Amino acid sequence: PHPAPILCQAAMDLLGFEPLRQAAAAEDYASATEALVQGLGYRTPLDLLSLLRGVLAEVIKSEEKAADTAKVARAKRGSAFGTFNKTQDADLAPESLDRTSPEAAGRRWRRTLRAVFNEEAAIAMLNDLQAMYKSDEFRRSASGLSSRWRGSGKLYSEKMADIDELCLREVMGPVLARYGFTPDKKGSMDIRAVISDLSTQRKDIRLLNMEIQKLVLSCFPDLKGDRAEALSGETGYASQTLPEAPAASSDQEETEAAQDQPPARAPDSPYNWQPSKASPVAVAAAPQNVTSVAM
């Protein structure tokens, strides 16, 4: 191994970083906080906020610079004339990219929000969604959509796609942007994977998400007849069904069922949380054929 990392490790041990390293490895953030406060000579955990804010900003900038460098490298490899076009190479250089524009600042802020998205943020977001789906504005929009379906001959699957579009445009999109996700289908897929993963760890998140699903679908009572037709195969789209309300079960039954499942694997990077890195159990358990709110 290179001597520099070894010397750095030895220095950390001498400075008393071992408790912090152990706490971080165990994801014991209370102990990590205590170690930082004591090690830095701070009076209260609140004194850490300035440091943590600055460190997080630097992490985001560093990640962005690395991503830009990789993007430039891919662009150069993909250009047949890159070797001869020195001007183009200079324009593509990482240091030439504008990181001071309002767009870049907004992008970094969204990434910062994603970095701190946790269980509490998920509950807050779900509560925001629930309030907006209960609003008179959304119910009027849902009623208008139902009216447009009458006599249209649309299949059940097409109506579900209409609901997806309505939810994303009027509720999901604005809420996603508020929590650092893109207000589009990609953002909807990303947050669905995150919520699905968190639902394997927190019963309250799972129940709240299910409650919101039923709330959305209750705004479209005419779908009940379409669902019956879909189940009977008359619409030609029997695989697209509304989610059934789960049967009531005791906490003991839920615990036993959870024990039969392999443990959920946390994403490799909470900052760069992607559907492909969410728990396989969570993604498999997530309802696939429901509205955008079905995370």
Side-chain angles (χ1 to χ4, degrees), residues 34-282:
E34 183 179 355
L36 280 171
V37 170
Q38 293 180 354
L40 295 172
Y42 289 163
R43 291 180 300 173
T44 70
L46 283 176
D47 294 333
L48 291 172
L49 289 181
S50 178
L51 171 66
L52 297 176
R53 185 164 52 242
V55 168
L56 180 55
E58 288 303 316
V59 169
I60 300 298
K61 291 178 183 177
S62 176
E63 191 277 342
E64 183 178 62
K65 185 176 181 180
D68 288 343
T69 301
K71 183 178 180 180
V72 168
R74 288 194 300 270
K76 288 183 177 180
R77 287 196 301 268
S79 173
F81 303 99
T83 304
F84 307 100
N85 193 338
K86 303 301 182 183
T87 302
Q88 181 188 43
D89 288 351
D91 291 340
L92 286 173
E95 58 271 14
S96 70
L97 299 176
D98 183 8
R99 297 191 182 90
T100 61
S101 66
E103 293 77 11
R107 183 175 62 251
R108 285 193 295 272
W109 175 241
R110 289 191 297 272
R111 288 176 175 176
T112 302
L113 291 175
R114 288 285 297 272
V116 297
F117 194 92
N118 58 7
E119 292 92 340
E120 284 72 22
I123 292 174
M125 189 197 70
L126 290 172
N127 283 327
D128 287 349
L129 289 172
Q130 187 178 51
M132 292 183 70
Y133 283 127
K134 285 182 177 180
S135 68
D136 293 337
E137 291 82 358
F138 181 76
R139 292 187 178 276
R140 280 195 296 268
S141 297
S143 178
L145 179 57
S146 296
S147 298
R148 292 192 294 276
W149 285 339
R150 298 188 184 109
S152 66
K154 280 195 171 185
L155 297 177
Y156 174 69
S157 59
E158 295 173 318
K159 293 180 179 180
M160 292 299 289
D162 288 344
I163 296 176
D164 273 346
E165 184 179 346
L166 177 67
C167 289
L168 187 58
R169 182 178 67 250
E170 298 202 4
V171 176
M172 281 293 291
V175 173
L176 286 172
R178 195 182 309 158
Y179 285 87
F181 295 83
T182 55
D184 51 23
K185 290 183 179 180
K186 180 184 181 302
S188 180
M189 290 177 60
D190 286 349
I191 191 59
R192 181 167 122 172
V194 173
I195 295 297
S196 295
D197 192 72
L198 292 175
S199 294
T200 66
Q201 307 166 35
R202 291 277 297 264
K203 178 181 177 181
D204 53 345
I205 293 178
R206 182 173 70 256
L207 294 179
L208 183 54
N209 188 39
M210 292 169 58
E211 191 176 316
I212 294 173
Q213 292 176 23
K214 290 187 286 185
L215 172 63
V216 172
L217 295 173
S218 70
C219 297
F220 303 92
D222 294 345
L223 280 177
K224 292 181 179 179
D226 294 327
R227 178 180 180 275
E229 291 179 359
L231 286 173
S232 66
E234 294 177 10
T235 64
Y237 202 84
S239 64
Q240 182 84 314
T241 60
L242 289 175
E244 294 285 356
S249 61
S250 65
D251 290 341
Q252 181 179 357
E253 289 174 338
E254 287 195 358
T255 301
E256 292 173 352
Q259 290 174 347
D260 294 334
Q261 298 287 348
R265 177 176 61 82
D268 296 335
S269 170
Y271 160 65
N272 198 23
W273 215 331
Q274 299 176 9
S276 61
K277 295 184 178 180
S279 161
V281 178

